[in-house]
Amino acid sequence: MKWFLDLTTRGKLFTGFGLVIALLALVIATAYTGITAIQESQKSLYEEDFANALDLAKLNAEQNRVRAGLLTMMALTQRAEQETWHQDVKERAREIGALVQRLQERNRDRAHLTRRLEDIKATRDAFAQTRDTQVIPLIYAGKVEQARELSLGVQEERYRKMRDLAD
């Protein structure tokens, strides 16, 4: 420590200010690294997690509309009104397919989400198959009670499974 006492006042000031500037540079580097990490985390949250949450909420809403459309078709007696609702169901089904596709593409490198999305897709495909090949033809044939049994039976289970997986 004697070496510091032997320095001139100018040397002591230069050493002190140099040390302060070096510490300031260290603080700046640390802050920059932290801010960069926060920005990357925020970007990931917004572009992936928030987008997933929005798409899953929209998926639930579209599934609700499909279900409501089918139940409305059962309640109606005129073919033209039923066909209008059938078109709405088809449109919602296309939207659901696009949402599931978009979710799968966005999350293909996340194994735990990929499995759930595959389960949603498989359940949705089974739901759509039964809807298109059994429920809607029964409605058009005037066999509303049989269509209702399907809708409130196996279709209800599939609907709840899709909602639970999306939640």
Side-chain angles (χ1 to χ4, degrees), residues 44-162:
S44 171
L45 277 172
Y46 180 74
E47 290 180 355
E48 294 175 11
D49 296 333
F50 184 65
N52 284 344
L54 283 177
D55 283 348
L56 288 170
K58 189 170 183 180
L59 178 71
N60 277 338
E62 295 298 334
Q63 288 172 340
N64 288 340
R65 285 186 68 179
V66 166
R67 185 151 169 80
L70 289 172
L71 294 173
T72 303
M73 283 179 69
M74 287 180 218
L76 297 173
T77 56
Q78 294 190 359
R79 178 81 175 207
E81 292 174 334
Q82 289 175 337
E83 288 175 357
T84 302
W85 280 99
H86 187 196
Q87 290 303 318
D88 186 60
V89 166
K90 286 180 184 178
E91 188 177 315
R92 299 296 134 227
R94 279 193 295 274
E95 181 65 28
I96 290 171
L99 284 168
V100 170
Q101 179 75 22
R102 190 167 49 220
L103 282 163
Q104 285 180 320
E105 288 173 6
R106 185 183 308 124
N107 296 293
R108 72 177 76 104
D109 55 343
R110 293 177 166 185
H112 68 285
L113 284 177
T114 302
R115 282 192 307 273
R116 284 191 161 202
L117 291 171
E118 287 172 359
D119 288 346
I120 288 173
K121 186 176 185 322
T123 306
R124 184 189 75 81
D125 290 345
F127 182 89
Q129 167 106 22
T130 304
R131 177 194 69 218
D132 294 339
T133 61
Q134 294 178 14
V135 175
I136 291 176
L138 285 171
I139 293 171
Y140 282 145
K143 299 177 182 178
V144 176
E145 195 55 42
Q146 291 174 344
R148 186 173 287 122
E149 286 176 15
L150 271 175
S151 292
L152 298 177
V154 68
Q155 290 292 79
E156 174 77 18
E157 292 173 23
R158 291 174 181 154
Y159 169 77
R160 290 191 186 281
K161 183 178 178 182
M162 286 186 290

